[in-house]
Amino acid sequence: MAWMTYISNWFEQDDWYEGLQRANMSQVRQVGLLAAGCQPWNKDVCAANGDRFAYCATLAIYIYQLDHRYNEFKLHAIMSEHKKTITAISWCPHNPDLFASGSTDNLVIIWNVAEQKVIAKLDNTKGMPASLSWCWNAHDAVAFVAHRGPLFIWTISGPDSGVTVHKDAHNFLSDISIFRWHTQKKGKVVFGHIDGSLSIFQPGTDEEDPITALEWDPLSTDYLLVANSHHGIRLVDTESLFCITTFNFPSAAASVQCLAWVPSAPGMFITGDSQVGVLRIWNVSRTTPIDNFKLKKTGFHCLHVLNSPPRKKFSIQSPIKNHYTSSTSEAVPPPVLTQNQAFSLPPGHAVCCFLDGGVGLYDMGAKKWDFLRDMGHVETIFDCKFKPDDPNLLATASFDGTIKVWDINTLTAVYISPGNEGVIYSLSWAPGDLNCIAGATSQNGAFIWDVKKGKMVQRFNEHGKNGIFCIAWSHKDSKRIATCSGDGFCIIRTIDGKVLHKYKHPAAVFGCDWSQNNKDMIATGCEDKNVRVYYVATSSDQPLKVFSGHTAKVFHVRWSPLREGILCSGSDDSSVRIWDYTQDACINILSGHTAPVRGLMWNTEIPYLLISGSWDYTIKVWDTREGTCLDTVYDHGADVYGLTCHPSRPFTMASCSRDSTVRLWSLTPLIAPLQINILADRSWEEIIGNSDYVIQQGTPPLLCGKMSRDIKQEIEKLTGNPQVKRLRWFSECLSPPGGSDNLWNLVAVIRGQDDSLLPQNYCKGIMHLKHLIKFRTSEAQELTTVKMSKFGGGIGVPTKEERLKEAAEIHLRLGQIQRYCELMVELGEWDKALSVAPGVSVKYWKKLMQRRADQLIQEDKDDVIPYCIAIGDVKKLVNFFMSRGQLKEALLIAQAACEGNMQTSHVSAPKGSSYSDDICKEDFNELLHTVSKELAEWYFQDGRAVLAACCHLAVDDIELAMTDLIRGNELELAVSVGTVLGESAAPATHYALELLARKCMMIPIWNLAADLLLMIPDNELHLIKLCAFYPECTEEINNLHEKCKLPTIEECMQLAETAHADGNIFETIKYYLLSQEPEKALPIGIHFVKEYISSSDWTLDTIYPILDLLSYIRTEKLLLHTCTEARNELLILCGYTGALLAIRRQYQSIVPALYEYTSQLLKRRKVSVPLKIEQLSEELDAWRACTQSINQSSEDSPYTPPSESQRMVYATLLKRLKDESLKGIIGHDYVTGSNLPSHSDIHISCLTGLKIQGPVYFLEDGKSTISLNDALMWAKVNPFSPLGTGIRLNPF
C-alpha cells in the first residue's frame, strides 16, 4: 500500500516516541464556498471530457465531476496556479485526466485533474498564448499561438520534448482570434482571423467581420463550420474553399458567438446567440434552425458539448421496451411527426457560458438545466459584508464592477447592482433596515445603491477620478458616511452629500473605521506608515492621535467591538499591530504573515480573538493577549482581501479573495471548552464574562458580546426548566448556518410545539411530514395569485408565466389534477391539460376537448404529442423521480400518497374493505421512509450532516437523525438535540457524550470530561477509563477518583490484588489500571486475549472490552522500555480488532489500511501473538471479494464473484462480529466541508497515498496526514495512531 513508504521507518525502531508533537488538526472549519462565474472575455474558457467539465474565472479553473449515484455534477477541484488572466483551457482528447491552460503572463500549464496537480509548466513562452489546443495528431503535444503567430507546438515528454514552431503557420497578416485542429485528418489546422479570413494548413475581406467560432466537421476530412460576427454561419469545403451552405437566422439582429457539433447526432450542431441567451439547434441539411430555446436574458459567450451523456443513477428494473409502447397497451405505431420533429433532439448536454459570468450544464433532450451557476463573480472579490439586520444576506464587491448580494443558506445570488461601476474596492451596508449599500470605486467615485428598488440613489464625487479604497457607513449615526482615497483625503459627509470634514493626509489613505463605542471617533490607515485617530465632533481637521511603528504602508484599521480604545492595523510590512488609544501605545505586534496584510476582523464575543487575511494566501487567527497565532488556514488560492463576521452567529465568518471565491468558516472549535460548559449545564460564570477579566493571560475563553448577553437575559425571564431553551439558543448561536435552525424547528415539532410558533422561513427548509402537503398547497396558491410588484422583485424574478407553471407543477404533485388543468389552459399548454384531464373525470375531459377543438379551429395550428402523468401508480412515479436524482420531488409524491390524495390504481380488493387501505397506507409509509433515507444520504454524502439529520427527523426517525450528527462529528449539536429529545434519543446521546469526553481529554479539561460521563446512566466503566488515562500527581488523581466515586489509588492496588487472587480477569485489569502501577494490567489482559483468540469460536464482543480498557493506560507508562513487548502486542491486537470493527461498521476506506498496519507491526516487531500475516491477507482478500459488488462503481473492472473458500472465510468473520447495537452508526463518517476543495494546501493521505479532499488531520510526527474523516473512523475502532507509536489518536 501507498502509505508504507511513509511510515516504514516508524516500525523499525523502538525509541521513536522521543520528541513527538501532539497530533492536531485545523481549528477553523470551512463550511461553505461560493464558486466564481465563468470569465466572458477569452474564447476557449470552457471544456469537457467524459464525465467532467471545466470553466475558468480570471485566475482559477473550476472542475466539476459527475456523481453517478445522484446523476449530478459536483465541484471536484479548483486549480489556481496562474497569477495572471487565463486565456484558454483545453482538455486532452486522448487522456481524460489531462488538460492544459495558458495565461497572459506567457505561461502554459499541464494539469492532472485526478491528482489535482501540475505535471508540466512552460514558462516565458515566446508570445502570449492567446489560444491553445491539444494536437490531435500527437499524443502529448499542446499547440498555442500568439496574436500574429507563429503556431508553437510544445511536446511535453518523450525524446522530442520541447517547443517547435509549425513550419508554415506564421507571419499572418491579421490577428488570430481562434484555431482548431482537425480530429480525423492528422495535422490539418484552421485559423480564424479578426478580419474574417481563414488560413488553412495541411501537412504537406475588411477589418469589420471577425471570425467568432470555428469547428471541424467530425465526420468529414474537409468540411468546416465557420461563424462570423455579421455574416452568420457557413459550412465551408476547405479543399475547394467553396461555401456549401449558408445558415439563415430568424432575424437579422441575431448574431452568433459560439457553436459546437453534437457528437451523438451526426450532422447536428448548436449555436448560442450573443445578444440574448438563445440556444439554437441545427442540422446541416437545413438552412434554418430546428429548434430554439431561450435559456437566459444575457447572451452566450461559449459552448461545449459533452460527448457522453451522463448515466442514470439507478437502473430501473423493467426491461427496455420500445419508446412508444406502454407496459399495458399493445404495440402502438409511433405517431406521425411534423417536419420539425423529424430531427429528434439529441440526448446531449451542453456546457453553456454566458456574458454575465453565468455557467451551466443544459440537458438538451430533457430541456432542463442539470446545473446552473448563475451570477458568480468572475474577478477578484475585494470586500464582503454580512447585512446587519438580516444575516442570511452577504454582499460582495468585485473587480468586475458589480456588488452582488447572496443568500448564504442556498449560496445563490439574490440581488445584483445595476450596470458596471468599473472596479469596486469596498462596500458598507447602511445600519438597521435601510436596505442600502454604499460602494467605493477605482475611478467613478462612491455611490449608494438601494437594494430593494434596484437602483443607484446617490453618488459622491468629491475625490474626482481618484480611487476610493474604503467606504464606511457609521453604524451609530446613520447619516454619516466616510470615504478615503488615493488623493490623501478622508472625507466625512452626510448621506445627502453635505461635506462635514476633509481630513488631509500626507499620502494616500487606504482604510478607515468608525469606533464601535464612540460615535464620533474614526481611525485611518495611510501610505505614510501611520495610523491616525480623528474626533468628528470638533471642527478641527487635525488628528487627536498619530500612531507610528509600521515600517511600510498601513492598509486597513479596525476598532475592537468589545474593548474601549483598542484598535488594530494591518500593513505591507506583513505585521498586524494592536494599539491602545488610552495609553498612546502599541501593545502588541502580531508577526507571522509573509506578505502584506489586507483583511482584519475582531471576533464579536471573545475580546482577544483577531483574524487577519494576507497576500500570502492565508487567514490567521490570533490570541492578541500574548500575540500567538492559534491557527492558519491555507484554503484560499490567492490573496485574501475581505473578512466579515456573521451578526447573529459570532463564530461564523466569511472571507473573499483574488481567487474569486467567497468561503464560509466556523471558528467554534477554537472555543470547544466553552461549548462543553454549556452542554454540561455549568453556571453562567463559566460561560459569560466581562472583557477586562477575559483579556488577562491564561484565562479560559468566555463570551463577552451582545449575542450572549441577549441570550442570558431571555433565559432569565423563563419559568420552569430553561435548559431546553438554553441548549437551543446557544447551539444556534455557535453553529454555522446550513441547517441548525431547521433541525431545532423539527425538534420543536416532534416535542409537540404549536404550529403557530414556527418561524416564517420554516416552510423553505425540510418540513416535518405532517406539514409538507399543507405548506406546499398554500405555496402553490400564493404563486397563482401573486401579481408582479411595481419594481419587480430583484433579479431573476419569475415572470407570471413561470409562477403559474410552478404553481401548476405543485398542484399536480399534490394530486390536485383539475387545478393543474385549469392553470395549464390559462398558460395555453392545452395538450398537458388534456392528457391528464381524464384523471379528474371523463366528463371533464370531454368538456375540455370541446373547448380545445373550437380554439384549434380558430388558430389553425398543428398538434403536438401530449404525455401523461395521471396513472396513479405512485411507486412507479417515486422510482422515476429517484432514478433521476430528484429526491425532493419523490418525497412530495410519497407524502401525498400517504395522505390519500392520489387515486391509486393497484389496489385490487373490493371497494368497501378498509383492509386494503391499511396495507396501502403501510406501503406508502415504507415508501416515504425509503425516500427520506435516500434524501438524507444525499445530503450526508455532500458533507451536510445537519440537513441529513433534518430529513430523518421529518419522518420521526430520531435514532438515524442522531447517528447522522455523530457520523458528521457534530457531537455538541448531537448532545444538545439528544438532551432535548430525551428518552427516544438516549442511546445515541450517550455515545455522543462518550466521544465528546474523549475530546475533552485532548483539550485537556478532565473535570468537564467527568461531568459529561456522569450524564450517562451506566457510567462506571467510562469513568474508570477517564481516571486511568489521567496523567497528574497522586493527589490530583485521587481528587478525580473521588469526583467519579471510585476508590483511591492505594485502595485500587489492594482491590486488584484481591481480584487477581480470585481469578477475576476484568476486575483485576480495571483496578490495576487505576493504581500507581497500571503496567501490571498489560500482561494479564493481553495473555487472556491471546488465549481466547487461539480457540476457533471466539467473538469480538468478548475481547473488545478488555482491549478497549487496556488502551486507556497512561501514555507515559505504555511507552516505558520495560513495556516494549506488551505494547507491541497491544498495538497489534487493537489493530486487528479495529479492522474487524471497521468491517462491522462498513468503514470501507480504512479496512485495508488497518489490516496493512497490523501486518506491518507483525512483520517488524518482536512479538508472539496467535495471528499470522497470511491469515490477515486471506481475510482482507475475502472481505474485498465478498463486498466488491456493493462498493463497486459502474466503471470499475468487471465483477468477479468470490471463490468458495473466500465465502467461507468471510462467513467465519461475520460470525465473530455480531451486530452493532446502535444501527444508524454503520457507514462512513463525513464531516461538514468534506467536499469543499481546499485551494492551495495539498496533503497526501498516508493511508491511501491520494490527495485529501476536505479537512486534514496531522499525525503526531507533525508531517504525516490523513483525512479527518478517516481519522474519526480509525479512532472509533482503534484508539492508537496509524504510525504505530502507541500514542492515542483523538480527532473528535
Side-chain angles (χ1 to χ4, degrees):
M1 271 182 86
W3 65 301
M4 288 329 304
T5 50
Y6 294 78
I7 298 178
S8 49
N9 61 319
W10 286 107
F11 291 98
E12 300 293 358
Q13 320 115 2
D14 254 331
D15 53 350
W16 23 241
Y17 48 80
E18 299 302 326
L20 288 179
Q21 310 170 359
R22 214 181 82 190
N24 67 351
M25 56 189 161
S26 178
Q27 295 282 302
V28 179
R29 296 186 310 160
Q30 184 176 197
V31 292
L33 179 144
L34 270 172
C38 182
Q39 54 150 306
W41 29 81
N42 287 304
K43 269 278 170 277
D44 292 319
V45 289
C46 68
N49 194 336
D51 47 17
R52 299 193 186 109
F53 71 87
Y55 66 85
C56 54
T58 315
L59 298 161
I61 301 165
Y62 289 78
I63 293 170
Y64 284 78
Q65 183 151 6
L66 180 68
D67 174 346
H68 287 284
R69 176 163 181 192
Y70 295 108
N71 196 26
E72 64 176 339
F73 282 85
K74 289 188 172 161
L75 181 59
H76 170 65
I78 303 176
M79 313 240 173
S80 58
E81 192 77 14
H82 291 286
K83 302 290 172 264
K84 292 274 176 67
T85 305
I86 296 169
T87 49
I89 58 178
S90 170
W91 217 296
C92 176
H94 326 289
N95 178 351
D97 285 347
L98 296 188
F99 82 97
S101 57
S103 59
T104 53
D105 50 3
N106 299 0
L107 178 66
V108 179
I109 297 183
I110 311 294
W111 304 86
N112 180 321
V113 180
E115 295 171 20
Q116 301 185 26
K117 64 178 191 199
V118 175
I119 295 182
K121 267 189 183 184
L122 182 61
D123 220 338
N124 60 34
T125 58
K126 296 286 188 299
M128 182 188 88
S131 184
L132 110 171
S133 161
W134 287 83
C135 303
W136 279 78
N137 55 335
H139 266 283
D140 52 357
V142 173
F144 57 93
V145 64
H147 286 303
R148 281 285 166 105
L151 179 66
F152 293 102
I153 295 174
W154 172 29
T155 309
I156 298 148
S157 56
D160 312 329
S161 62
V163 181
T164 53
V165 176
H166 191 290
K167 59 179 192 298
D168 301 322
H170 44 78
N171 298 347
F172 294 106
L173 298 172
S174 165
D175 279 3
I176 293 165
S177 51
I178 189 166
F179 78 98
R180 288 287 183 265
W181 290 98
H182 198 290
T183 54
Q184 256 60 51
K185 191 155 183 190
K186 290 208 162 157
K188 186 166 186 174
V189 60
V190 57
F191 296 87
H193 297 282
I194 299 288
D195 64 1
S197 60
L198 292 174
S199 312
I200 294 155
F201 294 93
Q202 316 261 30
T205 71
D206 54 8
E207 192 72 294
E208 293 309 301
D209 196 9
I211 301 257
T212 54
L214 280 177
E215 294 295 342
W216 289 101
D217 183 342
L219 300 178
S220 131
T221 52
D222 304 322
Y223 288 2
L224 176 72
L225 207 51
V226 186
N228 292 56
S229 274
H230 307 312
H231 280 104
I233 307 172
R234 296 162 300 166
L235 186 64
V236 179
D237 180 342
T238 56
E239 286 296 310
S240 58
L241 294 182
F242 172 72
C243 174
I244 302 165
T245 319
T246 304
F247 297 95
N248 306 322
F249 281 89
S251 78
S255 79
V256 165
Q257 271 289 351
C258 48
L259 46 85
W261 291 95
V262 179
S264 56
M268 278 211 165
F269 63 94
I270 55 173
T271 62
D273 286 17
S274 48
Q275 275 73 23
V276 202
V278 178
L279 182 72
R280 303 180 192 275
I281 300 191
W282 308 73
N283 190 294
V284 286
S285 59
R286 296 182 45 179
T287 56
T288 53
I290 296 165
D291 216 333
N292 309 300
F293 308 121
K294 183 172 174 189
L295 300 188
K296 231 167 109 66
K297 291 202 173 77
T298 42
F300 273 88
H301 172 59
C302 64
L303 269 178
H304 196 99
V305 178
L306 255 69
N307 40 10
S308 59
R311 278 179 293 246
K312 284 270 188 274
K313 168 184 159 193
F314 297 97
S315 48
I316 304 278
Q317 298 313 321
S318 65
I320 308 295
K321 296 198 176 72
N322 175 340
H323 192 64
Y324 295 109
T325 60
S326 71
S327 49
T328 51
S329 63
E330 293 298 306
V332 184
V336 181
L337 295 168
T338 59
Q339 169 62 37
N340 267 11
Q341 285 162 314
F343 301 96
S344 79
L345 286 187
H349 285 68
V351 181
C352 309
C353 301
F354 297 93
L355 292 169
D356 65 355
V359 53
L361 189 71
Y362 188 73
D363 181 334
M364 296 184 287
K367 303 191 185 174
K368 70 180 179 60
W369 287 109
D370 265 1
F371 160 88
L372 179 62
R373 173 89 195 95
D374 213 1
M375 326 285 306
H377 282 298
V378 295
E379 264 285 9
T380 301
I381 301 174
F382 284 119
D383 200 4
C384 57
K385 296 275 191 328
F386 282 105
K387 187 169 193 305
D389 68 318
D390 178 0
N392 288 322
L393 296 181
L394 173 73
T396 53
S398 166
F399 189 93
D400 64 17
T402 58
I403 292 181
K404 297 180 198 252
V405 178
W406 306 85
D407 175 332
I408 56 163
N409 292 311
T410 56
L411 298 180
T412 49
V414 257
Y415 302 103
I416 174 168
S417 59
N420 188 318
E421 296 289 333
V423 175
I424 303 181
Y425 284 131
S426 169
L427 68 87
S428 183
W429 281 96
D433 55 359
L434 290 174
N435 285 324
C436 289
I437 293 179
T441 71
S442 61
Q443 292 186 327
N444 302 329
F447 58 82
I448 298 180
W449 165 40
D450 184 318
V451 178
K452 288 281 177 354
K453 291 183 182 163
K455 61 182 188 189
M456 299 298 176
V457 289
Q458 179 63 285
R459 292 199 178 267
F460 305 121
N461 299 314
E462 305 92 341
H463 296 285
K465 284 277 175 208
N466 293 297
I468 301 178
F469 297 108
C470 183
I471 188 160
W473 202 315
S474 166
H475 279 242
K476 296 268 182 205
D477 177 353
S478 59
K479 295 202 170 45
R480 299 194 293 208
I481 293 181
T483 53
C484 49
S485 157
D487 60 9
F489 282 103
C490 170
I491 297 181
I492 317 279
R493 66 181 68 65
T494 61
I495 44 178
D496 45 22
K498 178 179 168 228
V499 173
L500 303 175
H501 285 281
K502 279 182 106 166
Y503 294 127
K504 180 146 181 51
H505 293 64
V509 196
F510 294 112
C512 60
D513 190 43
W514 294 95
S515 163
Q516 314 219 9
N517 296 307
N518 181 335
K519 72 176 173 52
D520 294 321
M521 217 59 123
I522 190 167
T524 62
C526 174
E527 193 168 9
D528 72 351
K529 310 175 191 165
N530 291 337
V531 174
R532 292 174 174 76
V533 177
Y534 292 89
Y535 191 59
V536 182
T538 63
S539 57
S540 160
D541 283 349
Q542 291 307 307
L544 279 182
K545 294 268 161 76
V546 180
F547 293 117
S548 49
H550 279 297
T551 55
K553 76 175 181 217
V554 178
F555 214 86
H556 284 305
V557 284
R558 287 280 178 273
W559 291 93
S560 162
L562 299 173
R563 296 164 62 196
E564 183 92 40
I566 300 288
L567 74 157
C568 66
S569 57
S571 156
D572 281 16
D573 64 12
S574 310
S575 75
V576 177
R577 282 178 179 250
I578 313 291
W579 311 92
D580 185 338
Y581 174 80
T582 54
Q583 296 178 22
D584 275 8
C586 170
I587 53 174
N588 222 327
I589 302 173
L590 312 176
S591 40
H593 282 297
T594 55
V597 177
R598 286 298 175 260
L600 285 174
M601 182 193 104
W602 289 97
N603 182 272
T604 53
E605 284 287 342
I606 308 281
Y608 56 78
L609 266 195
L610 176 72
I611 295 97
S612 61
S614 158
W615 281 8
D616 63 10
Y617 302 9
T618 67
I619 295 171
K620 285 184 183 286
V621 182
W622 306 89
D623 177 336
T624 55
R625 298 175 299 186
E626 43 267 17
T628 46
C629 175
L630 300 176
D631 202 8
T632 303
V633 182
Y634 298 94
D635 284 324
H636 272 297
D639 317 341
V640 179
Y641 279 105
L643 298 169
T644 173
C645 184
H646 193 290
S648 63
R649 297 173 185 268
F651 296 96
T652 295
M653 70 166 184
S655 62
C656 62
S657 154
R658 191 170 66 102
D659 69 12
S660 55
T661 63
V662 174
R663 290 169 190 248
L664 293 177
W665 310 91
S666 168
L667 303 170
T668 317
L670 290 162
I671 53 151
L674 222 172
Q675 210 177 355
I676 296 168
N677 279 337
I678 296 167
L679 297 180
D681 209 4
R682 291 286 182 95
S683 68
W684 284 117
E685 287 68 63
E686 296 181 65
I687 298 167
I688 289 179
N690 67 22
S691 299
D692 297 340
Y693 170 65
V694 175
I695 57 166
Q696 295 164 25
Q697 295 202 0
T699 315
L702 293 174
L703 302 174
C704 305
K706 181 176 179 318
M707 250 339 265
S708 52
R709 276 202 312 277
D710 291 353
I711 293 179
K712 183 179 173 196
Q713 277 170 2
E714 286 300 311
I715 287 171
E716 286 171 343
K717 289 183 201 160
L718 295 173
T719 50
N721 176 12
Q723 180 64 349
V724 169
K725 280 278 190 259
R726 177 160 123 154
L727 285 172
R728 172 169 185 168
W729 289 340
F730 274 116
S731 162
E732 288 181 342
C733 158
L734 299 177
S735 317
S740 60
D741 299 4
N742 196 167
L743 188 71
W744 283 107
N745 288 334
L746 288 165
V747 169
V749 171
I750 289 174
R751 294 184 71 239
Q753 175 188 299
D754 190 284
D755 287 358
S756 60
L757 297 173
L758 286 169
Q760 278 243 284
N761 59 0
Y762 168 68
C763 55
K764 293 220 168 44
I766 296 167
M767 286 181 277
H768 193 268
L769 58 92
K770 66 179 189 190
H771 297 133
L772 195 60
I773 300 295
K774 194 170 89 182
F775 276 105
R776 292 305 297 264
T777 304
S778 64
E779 181 192 349
Q781 283 158 354
E782 257 171 57
L783 284 162
T784 320
T785 51
V786 165
K787 293 279 179 279
M788 296 296 279
S789 65
K790 189 171 154 204
F791 297 113
I795 48 165
V797 164
T799 57
K800 180 163 182 232
E801 277 78 16
E802 285 165 346
R803 281 172 198 245
L804 289 179
K805 224 176 222 154
E806 196 180 330
E809 291 296 326
I810 295 175
H811 282 303
L812 182 60
R813 282 157 179 67
L814 297 177
Q816 299 157 354
I817 302 174
Q818 185 164 352
R819 195 74 202 92
Y820 170 79
C821 294
E822 293 301 329
L823 285 172
M824 279 296 153
V825 167
E826 194 178 330
L827 283 164
E829 304 240 3
W830 278 94
D831 308 305
K832 291 185 181 174
L834 288 172
S835 63
V836 294
V840 181
S841 70
V842 178
K843 195 167 140 203
Y844 176 69
W845 178 64
K846 284 187 176 149
K847 213 164 79 188
L848 266 189
M849 284 296 268
Q850 198 56 53
R851 278 162 62 188
R852 176 64 176 144
D854 295 348
Q855 195 194 6
L856 274 177
I857 291 162
Q858 281 173 354
E859 290 182 10
D860 187 30
K861 275 196 179 147
D862 278 351
D863 220 334
V864 265
I865 321 156
Y867 56 80
C868 164
I869 198 174
I871 351 166
D873 188 342
V874 179
K875 278 196 175 154
K876 188 177 279 181
L877 202 52
V878 169
N879 285 340
F880 167 69
F881 276 130
M882 283 171 71
S883 72
R884 300 191 11 197
Q886 291 172 294
L887 303 173
K888 291 175 186 160
E889 305 279 345
L891 190 66
L892 199 55
I893 301 271
Q895 180 60 33
C898 277
E899 295 193 12
N901 288 8
M902 298 277 181
Q903 298 226 323
T904 47
S905 54
H906 64 269
V907 180
S908 53
K911 279 254 161 55
S913 80
S914 63
Y915 164 72
S916 63
D917 281 2
D918 289 348
I919 294 186
C920 215
K921 199 92 176 145
E922 209 36 48
D923 266 11
F924 290 150
N925 252 326
E926 198 179 309
L927 199 62
L928 188 62
H929 279 263
T930 313
V931 179
S932 290
K933 267 201 187 109
E934 191 60 51
L935 185 58
E937 191 55 19
W938 176 75
Y939 278 123
F940 189 73
Q941 299 283 340
D942 202 29
R944 295 189 283 177
V946 181
L947 287 172
C950 291
C951 294
H952 291 307
L953 280 188
V955 291
D956 292 328
D957 203 327
I958 291 173
E959 183 179 296
L960 284 178
M962 291 291 295
T963 49
D964 270 7
L965 290 175
I966 294 171
R967 287 169 56 207
N969 206 34
E970 300 283 346
L971 300 175
E972 290 86 354
L973 192 54
V975 171
S976 305
V977 169
T979 310
V980 171
L981 287 172
E983 203 39 51
S984 49
T989 313
H990 299 159
Y991 184 48
L993 281 166
E994 187 190 328
L995 295 174
L996 208 47
R998 282 176 69 175
K999 176 175 176 167
C1000 292
M1001 294 182 200
M1002 211 53 210
I1003 294 177
I1005 31 179
W1006 300 87
N1007 268 328
L1008 261 181
D1011 283 348
L1012 292 175
L1013 294 173
L1014 288 165
M1015 291 160 72
I1016 304 176
D1018 184 11
N1019 55 21
E1020 192 205 12
L1021 200 55
H1022 295 307
L1023 293 169
I1024 287 171
K1025 293 175 192 170
L1026 175 74
C1027 293
F1029 195 60
Y1030 185 48
E1032 291 297 335
C1033 65
T1034 309
E1035 188 188 350
E1036 300 256 341
I1037 294 180
N1038 276 334
N1039 288 344
L1040 188 65
H1041 278 222
E1042 192 182 333
K1043 175 171 184 160
C1044 299
K1045 301 190 177 52
L1046 294 170
T1048 63
I1049 294 189
E1050 299 73 27
E1051 290 166 7
C1052 287
M1053 195 68 190
Q1054 292 154 3
L1055 285 165
E1057 281 161 0
T1058 317
H1060 194 31
D1062 296 347
N1064 185 333
I1065 301 280
F1066 200 70
E1067 294 291 303
T1068 312
I1069 296 171
K1070 204 161 81 174
Y1071 289 119
Y1072 268 137
L1073 284 176
L1074 292 172
S1075 72
Q1076 62 268 56
E1077 296 182 53
E1079 60 276 16
K1080 286 191 169 168
L1082 279 175
I1084 300 168
I1086 289 171
H1087 177 71
F1088 169 79
V1089 172
K1090 291 200 301 201
E1091 287 277 282
Y1092 187 70
I1093 60 174
S1094 305
S1095 68
S1096 60
D1097 56 349
W1098 61 275
T1099 60
L1100 188 61
D1101 293 345
T1102 319
I1103 58 168
Y1104 179 69
I1106 290 183
L1107 288 170
D1108 185 39
L1109 193 54
L1110 284 174
S1111 73
Y1112 279 91
I1113 181 170
R1114 282 196 278 291
T1115 308
E1116 77 271 14
K1117 294 286 187 187
L1118 184 63
L1119 299 184
L1120 290 171
H1121 279 299
T1122 49
C1123 293
T1124 300
E1125 186 168 349
R1127 174 179 65 240
N1128 289 336
E1129 292 183 353
L1130 180 64
L1131 292 182
I1132 287 171
L1133 293 168
C1134 285
Y1136 180 57
T1137 50
L1140 297 180
L1141 269 172
I1143 290 177
R1144 176 160 95 183
R1145 289 199 171 182
Q1146 294 175 17
Y1147 291 167
Q1148 260 75 12
S1149 64
I1150 63 165
V1151 170
L1154 280 158
Y1155 268 111
E1156 183 67 30
Y1157 159 88
T1158 313
S1159 308
Q1160 289 295 338
L1161 285 170
L1162 267 176
K1163 198 187 294 177
R1164 294 158 188 263
R1165 305 263 171 99
K1166 286 195 195 64
V1167 286
S1168 60
V1169 286
L1171 287 174
K1172 297 211 165 27
I1173 293 179
E1174 299 70 47
Q1175 170 205 343
L1176 293 180
S1177 61
E1178 190 179 80
E1179 283 181 13
L1180 180 59
D1181 290 343
W1183 169 79
R1184 277 202 171 116
C1186 296
T1187 53
Q1188 64 168 347
S1189 56
I1190 313 166
N1191 317 336
Q1192 200 174 35
S1193 52
S1194 46
E1195 62 269 33
D1196 281 2
S1197 50
Y1199 170 65
T1200 46
S1203 67
E1204 200 45 51
S1205 62
Q1206 285 176 326
R1207 281 204 182 125
M1208 298 276 290
V1209 173
Y1210 189 57
T1212 317
L1213 268 186
L1214 293 181
K1215 253 204 231 88
R1216 291 196 186 131
L1217 293 179
K1218 299 279 192 311
D1219 276 348
E1220 187 70 53
S1221 56
L1222 198 57
K1223 284 282 174 289
I1225 216 68
I1226 292 174
H1228 228 285
D1229 283 6
Y1230 266 101
V1231 298
T1232 308
S1234 290
N1235 291 5
L1236 299 176
S1238 116
H1239 226 121
S1240 50
D1241 204 28
I1242 290 179
H1243 292 288
I1244 303 298
S1245 163
C1246 64
L1247 294 185
T1248 59
L1250 302 172
K1251 175 179 187 279
I1252 297 172
Q1253 183 97 342
V1256 172
Y1257 184 79
F1258 283 86
L1259 296 174
E1260 64 271 23
D1261 61 348
K1263 342 186 255 290
S1264 309
T1265 53
I1266 57 181
S1267 78
L1268 180 56
N1269 291 330
D1270 284 350
L1272 285 165
M1273 292 185 287
W1274 184 290
K1276 285 175 186 172
V1277 295
N1278 173 9
F1280 295 111
S1281 151
L1283 298 182
T1285 52
I1287 293 199
R1288 282 184 69 92
L1289 188 67
N1290 206 333
F1292 299 104

